[in-house]
Amino acid sequence: MIPLILLLGVWGCSPPSTGSPEKPASIPKTVEIPAPFKAGLMNDYDVWEFLNVHPSEQEVLSTLGQPDSVWMDDRQQIKIFYYYIPSLRDYNSVELDTKTKSVTGFEWD
């Protein structure tokens, strides 16, 4: 009698079987699309024309990608993005006004 009670106790404590195991929820993979400049879809003249219309900081980041380094002046009025150009073994720069968050100048070879 005691083994029967133990068997019913163990069997009664286990979760009910659903027949098939649940699949874990799949996590969608995000695909990072490279910025047009970093993907090689823009030449230097295209970049020069783009910067010449004084785009916003966000437009610069989405078009040129993340800069290789960033510098800000002591008064925090100017932010400069530096992009390393391997073929020139040099940096090109984009100057942004921190208040308007738009391009105020650039040096792009």
Side-chain angles (χ1 to χ4, degrees), residues 15 20 48 61 70 90 96 98:
S20 65
W48 189 89
L61 292 172
V70 178
D90 195 13
L96 298 129
T98 57

Side-chain angles (χ1 to χ4, degrees), residues 18 20-24:
T18 59
S20 65
E22 287 187 34
K23 292 182 180 179

Side-chain angles (χ1 to χ4, degrees), residues 71-80 95-102 104:
W71 177 85
M72 189 172 285
D73 74 333
D74 292 336
R75 293 187 279 166
Q76 297 188 351
Q77 295 176 336
I78 299 169
K79 185 187 296 185
I80 299 178
E95 183 179 303
L96 298 129
D97 183 303
T98 57
K99 290 180 184 166
T100 64
K101 296 193 178 277
S102 62
T104 58

Side-chain angles (χ1 to χ4, degrees), residues 48-92:
W48 189 89
E49 282 189 328
F50 166 71
L51 294 172
N52 203 35
V53 296
H54 308 287
S56 70
E57 180 177 346
Q58 188 57 43
E59 291 172 317
V60 170
L61 292 172
S62 64
T63 303
L64 301 181
Q66 292 295 320
D68 296 300
S69 64
V70 178
W71 177 85
M72 189 172 285
D73 74 333
D74 292 336
R75 293 187 279 166
Q76 297 188 351
Q77 295 176 336
I78 299 169
K79 185 187 296 185
I80 299 178
F81 290 165
Y82 289 99
Y83 291 91
Y84 184 72
I85 311 299
S87 62
L88 300 174
R89 290 192 271 177
D90 195 13
Y91 286 90
N92 283 338

Side-chain angles (χ1 to χ4, degrees), residues 11-62:
W11 182 72
C13 292
S14 63
S17 175
T18 59
S20 65
E22 287 187 34
K23 292 182 180 179
S26 63
I27 300 171
K29 294 181 181 180
T30 57
V31 177
E32 188 173 319
I33 299 171
F37 173 69
K38 295 227 175 178
L41 301 175
M42 296 176 77
N43 63 31
D44 291 332
Y45 185 73
D46 294 332
V47 175
W48 189 89
E49 282 189 328
F50 166 71
L51 294 172
N52 203 35
V53 296
H54 308 287
S56 70
E57 180 177 346
Q58 188 57 43
E59 291 172 317
V60 170
L61 292 172
S62 64

